[in-house]
Amino acid sequence: MEAGAQPHVQLVQQATNVGLNGRRAGRAASWTPARPFLVRSNRLGGASRWLLRLTGWPPLSRPPPCLCCSSGSSDHIPTLHSHCSMAAAADQAWTEADTAAARRAIPHLRPGLVHLNNAGCSIPMHATLAAVQDYLAREASDGGYEVFDASVDALRRPYTALATLLNCRPEEIAVLTSATAAWQQVLYGLAWGWRPGDRVLTSVHEYGSNAIALLQLAGRTGVSLEVIPETPDGDINTAALQRMLGSSPKPVLVAISHIPTSSGQVYDAAAVGALCRQAGVLYMLDACQSIGQLPVDVQAIQCDFACGTGRKYLRGPRGSGFLFCRSDALDKFEPAVLDNTGGSWSGSREYSIDPTAKRFESYEMAFAAKVGLGVAVEECVQLGIGRIWSRVQHLAQQLRQGLAALPGVTVQDRGRLLCGLVSFTVEGLTADELQQGLAARHINTSVSRIGSSRWDFEARQLEAVVRASVHCFNTEEELQRCVEAVGQLAAAAARGGQR
């Protein structure tokens, strides 16, 4: 290890030297954090943990930045400009009647259960559940192939609905089994053309599955994996990114997560896209936690690829995911794998590839889940993504304020823009103990561990956090229940472990 390098860098380098089946790869991976990231790592510690500002945003003395296109001031909370496709819906304030309607749409939710695990797996609306059940029932009565042939419109719905939500064309959408499957189809496909010395840029808060794949490919191909540093207020450092994009050799890919799995931080994805487009570098956005929660306009963001999942904020079925691939990026590479859906056996020694994003799809998947995904996305579009985002921000701010006021509780979110994921710890309790204590009080949350966000957690000296994630159907009363329950658990821990 080079002098002055951080210990965690050495661990990452060692991990990437292992190839398939545990064998040592032919080339060691090169993982080079940008210097500002290392400086930040040295600064962050228990005595300098990030504190959440709860005094509210400053008065808007000039236009706030647009959530989609990032124009306007960067000092204030983002809004939506009138020229953005989702702006009109955001103008309609959320009312008590809306909350009541949202609750009626989830009649199967167990009475008394507070579901604050929407960033893990949200509660599907009745229409989505009914569509999935109906498709499965028809498969059982009429036969799977026959129901598939008779369900052309229902199976086309995910493409048209996602195209509306993301502001793209249906031909630029592929439906897969998960966001990870979509991400890997692109990443491993691109990697066929990578050579030793090529550079890939990623983010500090990259998700564990993404980081593992990047590290594996760094070990296989010899590419250099570089981490884009953050600004002091927790956004991606676009000035540093611009320098990294301008360095030689030019990066072959920028791959970042819009929102991490472990906190409410939201990166300025559009600013990244503008720089990548200017530099002529491919840009992959993992929007797994953002699509369905906040407006994601792929034209404004200027990403070449974006992946998402059905089960989180879209409230679709598990086992459903999707990929956006910009038309002009389709022919720059081949998918990681092809079958009879993504390609055709066109000659005894030849194959052809589907001209649309369907080239990334595989023949087999749960078609009931695909139908349910289409219904879920249509429900999201009908409700209005701007209105959902406004409601989610309101609820998340209320939860953060309540938790931060409790003795012994630390809200771990940091960032210029925060979303519906609220992460926190309690002194004297492990994250698992806290999550289990809340579950015993009929409150669903989840635990984010270091393996899901290692670079970020190591920099902040965290092992795990509890994540409570709100959605538009949650109520203020449910959040108060959560705050009171955390307060009880924190007080019991302070008394010596009595719960």
Side-chain angles (χ1 to χ4, degrees), residues 130-140 144-149 151 154-155 366-369 371:
V132 173
Q133 291 174 329
D134 177 70
Y135 193 94
L136 289 172
R138 289 192 294 125
E139 280 189 329
Y145 280 28
E146 291 71 21
V147 173
F148 176 90
D149 291 338
S151 303
L155 291 168
F367 291 103
V371 168

Side-chain angles (χ1 to χ4, degrees), residues 301-343:
I301 291 173
Q302 300 186 75
C303 55
D304 296 287
F305 318 100
C307 63
T309 184
R311 64 181 162 89
K312 295 180 184 289
Y313 276 90
L314 284 172
R315 296 195 278 172
R318 297 198 71 171
S320 63
F322 51 91
L323 171 72
F324 158 76
C325 178
R326 191 175 298 279
S327 294
D328 60 12
L330 278 171
D331 293 328
K332 294 183 183 297
F333 70 107
E334 292 189 5
V337 295
L338 286 169
D339 70 0
N340 282 340
T341 294

Side-chain angles (χ1 to χ4, degrees), residues 51-63:
L51 299 177
L52 178 69
R53 176 174 179 159
L54 293 169
T55 55
W57 292 89
L60 299 182
S61 58
R62 54 187 181 274

